[in-house]
Amino acid sequence: MKPYSHSVLTYFLIIPNLSPVQESTGIRSTEDLIVNKASEEIGIQKNPSTSSDSSAIYLPDLSPREIYKKPQFWVFWVGFICNVQGINYCTLMWKEFGQEFIDNDLFLAGVGSAGSVANALSRIMWGTLGDRIGFKPTMLILQSIFAILYIVFFYTQHLTKWGYAVFVVLVFGCIGGSFAIYPAATVREFGITHSTSNYGLVFTSMIVASFLNLGTMNLLAPEISEQHMQWVTAGFLVIGLVATATFKSRYQRQGIISEKAYRSIAQDSS
């Protein structure tokens, strides 16, 4: 593989760090609905002093100075880093890979447009699934599919151009999941009071992810094949999968509710 130009590498450092502004706006517009519906289902009271139910469950909202001490934060942080490896590789390399065996730039432009539509619509799909079955199972599904797609993506060159197009659209469909699931999970896990700054802290993983992408693309890409580079990306996603598998909410860890009950919060509220 050829070394990447300075302009391509600069992309990794600039573009990802613009996203927190967009994500903060979105999370502020949805956090009340997410937390209030979940609270109604399991009796978590935002202000326990005003509750007439003495058996109501209450865990205080956490600030950024507190969440980094919690294992849930590190599951989000590491998982996001790993997912971004798949996100950035796809957004930068899908067309270059396709050009190796498809000599039709108009067709590739159409594939990119279809991928963008899939990215947008998938956020609704992944968000709905996350509301129904909860963060952990949804993210495990997403990361599993994402990793499998990268493991087999190289072999799409042996399919027709339409087979390649389907795989690209599926990969783009996985990209939106992280940006739909992690904000809601952050609010649900750490509370509404500091939700924007808490997600901003989770989103600092993008800084590490950007430099990690920079290193793998600039150091590994010139030395290994396209296929192996895609497998390295899949490896990161598997690491994220393992991290997600260790997730237990604060309520589960303190024995307040079971994992089954925790999963049913979003399902019942939807």
Side-chain angles (χ1 to χ4, degrees):
M1 295 177 65
K2 298 179 181 179
Y4 298 93
S5 67
H6 176 74
S7 59
V8 172
L9 297 177
T10 302
Y11 168 90
F12 287 113
L13 302 178
I14 297 177
I15 298 299
N17 296 299
L18 297 179
S19 298
V21 177
Q22 300 171 321
E23 298 301 326
S24 296
T25 302
I27 197 172
R28 271 300 182 192
S29 66
T30 60
E31 60 190 4
D32 286 333
L33 177 61
I34 294 170
V35 175
N36 290 341
K37 293 296 289 184
S39 299
E40 291 170 5
E41 293 299 321
I42 61 173
I44 303 172
Q45 300 297 321
K46 189 69 190 72
N47 185 353
S49 63
T50 63
S51 173
S52 59
D53 183 3
S54 60
S55 64
I57 303 167
Y58 171 71
L59 287 180
D61 292 354
L62 300 181
S63 69
R65 292 185 178 183
E66 296 170 308
I67 68 170
Y68 79 90
K69 302 175 185 178
K70 301 296 181 180
Q72 296 85 2
F73 167 79
W74 294 106
V75 169
F76 294 163
W77 202 79
V78 172
F80 210 104
I81 287 175
C82 294
N83 287 6
V84 169
Q85 306 312 303
I87 292 170
N88 283 353
Y89 185 87
C90 175
T91 54
L92 287 176
M93 297 303 301
W94 70 269
K95 187 174 183 179
E96 181 173 323
F97 175 62
Q99 285 175 328
E100 295 181 6
F101 54 92
I102 298 176
D103 187 23
N104 186 334
D105 200 56
L106 182 61
F107 176 80
L108 291 174
V111 172
S113 298
S116 298
V117 173
N119 182 5
L121 295 179
S122 71
R123 298 181 186 224
I124 301 173
M125 181 199 74
W126 288 114
T128 300
L129 186 61
D131 287 342
R132 290 187 176 276
I133 65 175
F135 163 75
K136 183 177 178 178
T138 305
M139 188 53 66
L140 288 175
I141 293 171
L142 185 152
Q143 291 170 325
S144 297
I145 295 173
F146 215 178
I148 291 171
L149 288 172
Y150 269 112
I151 290 172
V152 302
F153 190 49
F154 180 79
Y155 300 103
T156 59
Q157 62 185 306
H158 302 303
L159 303 175
T160 66
K161 64 181 182 180
W162 294 105
Y164 161 80
V166 169
F167 267 78
V168 170
V169 169
L170 289 175
V171 172
F172 269 96
C174 291
I175 289 177
S178 293
F179 301 101
I181 299 169
Y182 280 114
T186 301
V187 175
R188 184 174 288 127
E189 188 61 32
F190 303 125
I192 189 173
T193 305
H194 306 282
S195 55
T196 303
S197 52
N198 284 344
Y199 185 62
L201 188 59
V202 172
F203 215 86
T204 59
S205 59
M206 290 292 289
I207 300 173
V208 177
S210 296
F211 280 104
L212 189 57
N213 261 139
L214 182 66
T216 55
M217 287 291 189
N218 202 33
L219 298 178
L220 287 181
E223 305 296 331
I224 63 177
S225 67
E226 184 85 42
Q227 180 182 20
H228 290 153
M229 195 65 205
Q230 291 171 6
W231 286 358
V232 168
T233 304
F236 280 116
L237 292 167
V238 171
I239 293 172
L241 182 71
V242 172
T244 301
T246 68
F247 177 81
K248 281 190 176 183
S249 74
R250 288 193 293 155
Y251 295 93
Q252 292 171 257
R253 288 185 179 275
Q254 295 191 26
I256 296 175
I257 58 175
S258 66
E259 182 172 356
K260 183 178 180 180
Y262 184 77
R263 288 184 183 182
S264 71
I265 296 172
Q267 183 177 6
D268 292 342
S269 64
S270 63

